Amino acid sequence: QAGAAAAQPLAGRRVVVSAGGTREPLDPVRFLGNRSSGKQGYALATVAARRGADVTLVAANTALTAPEGVTVVRVQTALELQLAVEKAAADADVVVMAAAVADFRPKAYAASKIKKTHDVTAPDEAPTIELVRNPDILAELVAARGDEASPVIVGFAAETGDETGSVLDHGRTKLARKGCDLLVVNEVGETKTFGQDENTVHILRQGSSHVVDAGPASKEDVAAAVWDAVQQIL
Ligand code: CTP
Ligand code: CA
């Protein structure tokens, strides 16, 4: 049975993975969205199931086939994703927030389609869309855990370097701010990561200066590196 244990290191573990990108509706035909395909989240769910975990995948607007043996909960908005993740996280050993969650949503939802001449008194004007903040689901999961060690909480951070710091600098700052156990940092750009089959990430661990680099590799190989890091904490 030693071989089985080695092949199924997540046997008996309940894990929750969020994937995809939330869509925040403006009116019945329009939304604010992002470029996340959900591929990395699906790869995480696939590898966890293969390692024996009981997996719930909270999928936001993905066009992918559900991995075998995984329970899929479909959501659209950040608020729906929060509800679904919190429900599944209640008895989970691990929560991985791979979803790209909209930081803001339109303050108002128009029940009927917004017309080009939305304001008859100023027919050439364009409307201004007011936004409000969405909850930070990851930070709230960390806060709800309090002093407990469980669940292990993993965040993802899509970063671009800028004049204030490198991709890794931004990752370290975010790991400290979020308080999760691991932060998987990936470099994004219009042609990098989004929708691609390969990924390059840096896995940062809370309280450690050690960095695990994974890739460029398939999203399943990157997922395997993330679960290896999680297993070290479990
Ligand atoms: N996240 C979340 N809820 C949000 C926004 C993000 O749970 N409202 C999660 C993401 O799923 C991801 C992590 O937080 O695991 C980091 O997301 P990111 O957008 O990089 O972080 P933010 O705190 O939103 O910071 P930024 O200003 O860089 O967007
Ligand atoms: Ca964000």
Side-chain angles (χ1 to χ4, degrees):
Q1 293 300 308
Q8 300 248 290
L10 292 171
R13 302 291 192 174
R14 288 177 179 278
V15 313
V16 181
V17 178
S18 70
T22 66
R23 290 181 177 177
E24 310 298 322
L26 269 168
D27 72 13
V29 296
R30 304 184 180 98
F31 56 82
L32 296 182
N34 61 68
R35 292 175 183 272
S36 175
S37 66
K39 285 180 183 171
Q40 186 61 68
Y42 273 59
L44 284 154
T46 300
V47 172
R50 205 179 284 151
R51 292 187 181 192
D54 175 346
V55 184
T56 300
L57 175 63
V58 179
N61 309 296
T62 60
L64 302 169
T65 310
E68 192 139 350
V70 166
T71 303
V72 181
V73 180
R74 295 198 173 274
V75 298
Q76 296 267 330
T77 67
L79 292 175
E80 288 170 15
L81 189 136
Q82 181 176 37
L83 266 181
V85 167
E86 285 182 354
K87 186 164 174 252
D91 59 355
D93 299 295
V94 186
V95 181
V96 181
M97 284 293 299
V101 182
D103 294 322
F104 311 102
R105 66 179 182 275
K107 184 175 181 184
Y109 172 75
S112 49
K113 188 183 168 198
I114 299 167
K115 301 301 286 179
K116 184 156 57 186
T117 48
H118 63 107
D119 179 354
V120 287
T121 65
D124 293 333
E125 295 284 299
T128 300
I129 298 164
E130 198 177 338
L131 302 177
V132 294
R133 282 284 280 265
N134 272 328
D136 188 326
I137 301 165
L138 179 65
E140 289 188 16
L141 286 168
V142 171
R145 178 177 67 172
D147 295 332
E148 307 283 314
S150 183
V152 172
I153 300 174
V154 182
F156 268 70
E159 299 289 350
T160 62
D162 59 22
E163 62 289 346
T164 70
S166 68
V167 167
L168 269 187
D169 293 335
H170 287 303
R172 290 219 175 280
T173 305
K174 191 165 286 178
L175 177 61
R177 174 160 60 81
K178 298 275 190 179
C180 50
D181 302 292
L182 296 171
L183 189 74
V184 184
V185 181
N186 61 2
E187 201 162 335
V188 294
E190 272 187 43
T191 58
K192 265 187 205 161
T193 301
F194 288 119
Q196 307 285 310
D197 291 319
E198 295 230 311
N199 203 359
T200 303
V201 305
H202 313 283
I203 304 171
L204 308 184
R205 183 166 173 178
Q206 195 70 253
S208 163
S209 58
H210 185 63
V211 181
V212 174
D213 299 313
S218 70
K219 289 188 174 178
E220 283 205 7
D221 285 350
V222 167
V226 172
W227 289 117
D228 287 348
V230 168
Q231 285 161 213
Q232 288 194 355
I233 299 174
L234 279 171

